[in-house]
Amino acid sequence: MTILTALGRAEPSFLLQRAQPALTGLIDGSLSTLAPIFAVALATHEPRYAFFAGLATAIGAGVSMAFSEGLSDTGDQTGRGNPYRRGAITGVGTFLGGVLHTLPFLIPAYHLALAVALATIAVELLALAWLRWRFFGTGFLRSFVAIALGGAIITGVSAALGAAG
């Protein structure tokens, strides 16, 4: 079984069993970790605290999403494949999506760490929109706007919480 058909499109089983769980994880990790990271960063102005909050959130979200996906169905009736493989793919994707914009907070200078994290998030949003376009035929701009809107809502809430702290 090949991943791509003669027309260059991904096979449905690859989409269901690999691409969709990976994309779900990447999107969830990218979005769900924004609130704790930026709330802590804005409240404390201490990059190392934001790093630990982001790392803990990325690990916790990755484990949670792995279990959620792995336990959501057996794959027998839906054709979604082995639940343990899907869970692992989703969990790793979630961790990666969360840890990528956490790593800039290893930079000890607060404003620089914040700027690099925001730039990393912009690259993540572009990559997620491209993946949705590439594998699922969703318009690139539509995907970017949808994912950015979710990120903006989460960032707004976390900024408000961070400013209140």
Side-chain angles (χ1 to χ4, degrees):
M1 173 167 70
T2 62
I3 293 175
L4 299 178
T5 66
L7 298 174
R9 294 190 180 124
E11 290 185 5
S13 62
F14 174 78
L15 292 175
L16 278 174
Q17 298 172 9
R18 305 291 192 286
Q20 190 274 333
L23 190 58
T24 296
L26 287 168
I27 291 171
D28 179 68
S30 293
L31 296 179
S32 68
T33 58
L34 290 174
I37 293 169
F38 284 94
V40 170
L42 294 170
T44 66
H45 291 204
E46 291 286 340
R48 65 186 171 126
Y49 295 141
F51 171 76
F52 286 120
L55 183 60
T57 304
I59 292 169
V63 171
S64 174
M65 286 295 289
F67 275 92
S68 296
E69 180 62 31
L71 298 174
S72 65
D73 72 74
T74 63
D76 295 333
Q77 295 176 330
T78 62
R80 295 182 67 221
N82 182 299
Y84 301 111
R85 182 176 294 133
R86 281 192 344 266
I89 291 168
T90 304
V92 168
T94 303
F95 173 76
L96 287 175
V99 81
L100 291 177
H101 55 259
T102 296
L103 293 175
F105 289 101
L106 287 171
I107 300 169
Y110 171 72
H111 292 290
L112 180 59
L114 207 55
V116 173
L118 291 171
T120 302
I121 292 166
V123 171
E124 288 175 2
L125 294 175
L126 290 169
L128 290 169
W130 182 84
L131 288 168
R132 289 190 75 213
W133 167 79
R134 168 68 179 87
F135 288 105
F136 297 101
T138 307
F140 179 83
L141 184 60
R142 180 178 170 203
S143 292
F144 181 80
V145 169
I147 294 169
L149 178 62
I153 291 168
I154 293 167
T155 303
V157 169
S158 64
L161 289 171

